[in-house]
Structure formats: C-alpha cells, structure tokens
Amino acid sequence: MALELSCTRAEADQKQLIRCRETLYTSSELINSVGKVLALAGNETRLKILFLLNEEGELCPCDFSDILGMSVPAISQHIRKMKDAGLITSRRDGQTLYYSLVKDSSEVLEGIFGRLKENKKVA
C-alpha cells in the first residue's frame, strides 16, 4: 500500500508564511555555508578527514594516508576540494603541508562531531 501525501489546508496562516520566508532570507548566508560543509562532508572519506582535523587540530596528507590506508594523491584530491570550498586551511613547515579546519566550518561540524564523540565514550 503506497502512502499518499496530501494537503487539505482550509486556509494558510499568512503571518507564518511571511515569517518563514523572512527567516530563510535572513539566514540564507548561514544556510549556504552549512549546506556547503554538509555537501562536502557527505563523502565518507572527507567526513573522516574533517573529523580527524577536528580531533587533532592539524595533520599532513601523509598522516591521513597512513590512518585511512589511502594513497597521498587520493587524499590530496579530497583535501583540495575542501580547501577550495574554504573548509580547511594549510600552513607549511619546511616541505610539509599541515591542514586544519577553518573556524567557521569547525563550528558547523561541532554538533555532528559532538554526537560522534558521545558514541565513542559509550563504546
């Protein structure tokens, strides 16, 4: 049996509709920022990289390669996408590049990672 969704509203609450539109309008920048973070974090490897950066502060591509069992070029492709989107930043120490989360993205991800940390403590 298929579930059919229908709407039989007698009258729309115009004040509520206007309020919701205004809320979306005034929050559009934040919504776009969160959407960008979540779109990139939707890939399991990138989510792992972001989680590790949140936990450790900074890591280099070789660290990610060793931890995740992937090649450095594969890791670098994921890092490039996140760096291009402004989620992570880098600093150079000699020939080594270290990556860390940009503050705005770490704030967005903190709620998600907080939940993962809670599960880690229970396990």
Side-chain angles (χ1 to χ4, degrees):
M1 181 167 102
L3 176 65
E4 186 176 322
L5 299 177
S6 64
C7 182
T8 56
R9 171 180 72 194
E11 188 175 324
D13 181 342
Q14 292 301 317
K15 288 181 182 178
Q16 180 185 38
L17 297 176
I18 291 168
R19 186 176 62 248
C20 289
R21 285 185 195 118
E22 288 173 353
T23 299
L24 285 177
Y25 178 78
T26 59
S27 303
S28 66
E29 194 173 310
L30 178 62
I31 290 170
N32 287 338
S33 175
V34 170
K36 187 181 348 176
V37 171
L38 294 178
L40 285 167
N43 174 282
E44 186 177 339
T45 298
R46 289 193 289 271
L47 184 59
K48 288 176 181 177
I49 290 170
L50 293 169
F51 178 73
L52 290 169
L53 289 175
N54 189 64
E55 288 287 297
E56 299 298 321
E58 68 176 13
L59 292 164
C60 75
C62 295
D63 294 330
F64 291 119
S65 175
D66 291 341
I67 294 164
L68 299 174
M70 297 174 65
S71 70
V72 172
I75 294 293
S76 294
Q77 286 182 13
H78 288 290
I79 287 173
R80 180 186 46 78
K81 288 180 182 181
M82 292 185 288
K83 190 169 183 194
D84 288 350
L87 300 182
I88 62 176
T89 187
S90 63
R91 74 170 181 88
R92 183 175 289 282
D93 184 6
Q95 291 188 332
T96 306
L97 277 172
Y98 290 95
Y99 293 93
S100 59
L101 291 175
V102 170
K103 188 177 191 296
D104 289 347
S105 60
S106 66
E107 290 172 356
V108 169
L109 292 166
E110 191 55 44
I112 297 166
F113 294 148
R115 180 82 173 136
L116 291 173
K117 290 177 191 176
E118 286 174 18
N119 285 343
K120 188 169 79 171
K121 290 178 185 175
V122 171

